[in-house]
Amino acid sequence: MPSPTLDVGEQRARIERSHKIKRLGIKRLGPCVWFKPDWAASSTGIPCHARSGALLTRAIPARDNEGPAMIQVGDHLPQATFRVIGPEGPIARTTDDVFKGRRVVLIGVPGAFTPSCHRNHLPGFVTHKDEILGRGVDAIAVTSVNDVFVLDAWSKASGAEGLEFLADGNADFAKAIGLEMDGTGFGLGMRSKRYSMLVEDGVVRILNVEETPSKAEASGAEALLKVL
């Protein structure tokens, strides 16, 4: 029942909001409302901030019935197509092209040239490249939700010779492995979470996902070297 301390208008608004939630099938998780990601930012749904409870203006996708769950150790990587720079311009490389029959360290980052990626995350793999490859790794690959030209410029600016840069411009791969990140609140659109993994012949053997996107600790080169 509506609280007797509320005026009639507020009571009516709460009742209408409750009916709307039930009708649209919005799932409530704790203090937050999560709902389908294909709803527009102007949707009449009412998601709220997980920590403060303050209302947000954009949807938070539910992971229980929308999209694949996050990939786990022992899983095969799904089929996806990346773009890389070739001698005459961009070329496509599939998941099989990159990982089949190889032992590959894959680094996922939110964005080329972004502070943590550029200053903290990628430099560690550049510095420790030879040591990582010396552990029986065939290649070190970096993927980000950027176009292939941005990634090519980033690889050159970072002195990352010998690393493979895989452009996931539409976030297809990030979504397929359940490691996409909604950066629309920062004007970044859909991005990838920060992680590192070891993939052997297409199968995930080690997976380190960073809990805080601005940090590069659990997913950093030194942390990965400890378990290679």
Side-chain angles (χ1 to χ4, degrees):
M1 294 293 292
S3 171
T5 62
L6 301 176
D7 60 35
V8 175
E10 179 61 21
Q11 290 181 17
R12 182 178 294 114
R14 286 198 173 189
I15 292 172
E16 291 177 353
R17 186 170 62 186
S18 177
H19 288 170
K20 187 173 298 179
I21 288 172
K22 293 178 180 178
R23 184 173 69 254
L24 295 176
I26 297 173
K27 294 187 177 295
R28 186 182 294 275
L29 301 177
C32 263
V33 177
W34 290 24
F35 58 94
K36 295 183 179 180
D38 55 349
W39 291 358
S42 58
S43 168
T44 52
I46 48 167
C48 64
H49 192 281
R51 182 177 298 173
S52 67
L55 296 183
L56 297 178
T57 58
R58 59 186 174 85
I60 302 175
R63 186 53 84 186
D64 60 345
N65 63 356
E66 291 292 333
M70 187 181 81
I71 198 164
Q72 302 292 324
V73 171
D75 290 347
H76 284 263
L77 291 180
Q79 288 301 311
T81 300
F82 305 100
R83 294 291 185 276
V84 301
I85 287 290
E88 299 181 0
I91 59 176
R93 293 191 70 191
T94 66
T95 307
D96 282 347
D97 291 334
V98 178
F99 300 100
K100 190 173 182 179
R102 305 172 82 200
R103 195 166 187 251
V104 180
V105 165
L106 178 65
I107 310 153
V109 300
F113 293 108
T114 56
S116 294
C117 303
H118 188 61
R119 300 172 187 169
N120 303 326
H121 202 189
L122 181 59
F125 288 92
V126 174
T127 299
H128 294 285
K129 178 187 69 175
D130 292 340
E131 190 174 354
I132 292 172
L133 295 177
R135 302 286 178 91
V137 172
D138 297 304
I140 301 171
V142 183
T143 184
S144 178
V145 183
N146 292 108
D147 67 70
V148 66
F149 302 105
V150 168
L151 277 192
D152 184 51
W154 190 37
S155 69
K156 293 174 180 175
S158 302
E161 294 182 8
L163 275 64
E164 301 178 14
F165 284 74
L166 310 172
D168 183 27
N170 296 322
D172 293 335
F173 179 72
K175 293 175 183 176
I177 63 174
L179 284 172
E180 77 274 23
M181 180 186 75
D182 185 354
T184 55
F186 303 97
L188 298 175
M190 189 61 69
R191 296 285 178 152
S192 169
K193 290 184 178 180
R194 188 183 307 284
Y195 63 86
S196 64
M197 64 171 72
L198 175 66
V199 183
E200 295 181 346
D201 195 22
V203 178
V204 178
R205 296 304 184 191
I206 298 171
L207 176 61
N208 300 316
V209 181
E210 206 71 55
E211 293 185 6
T212 304
S214 61
K215 293 183 178 181
E217 298 172 354
S219 60
E222 292 183 359
L224 185 62
L225 276 168
K226 292 178 180 179
V227 294
L228 276 179

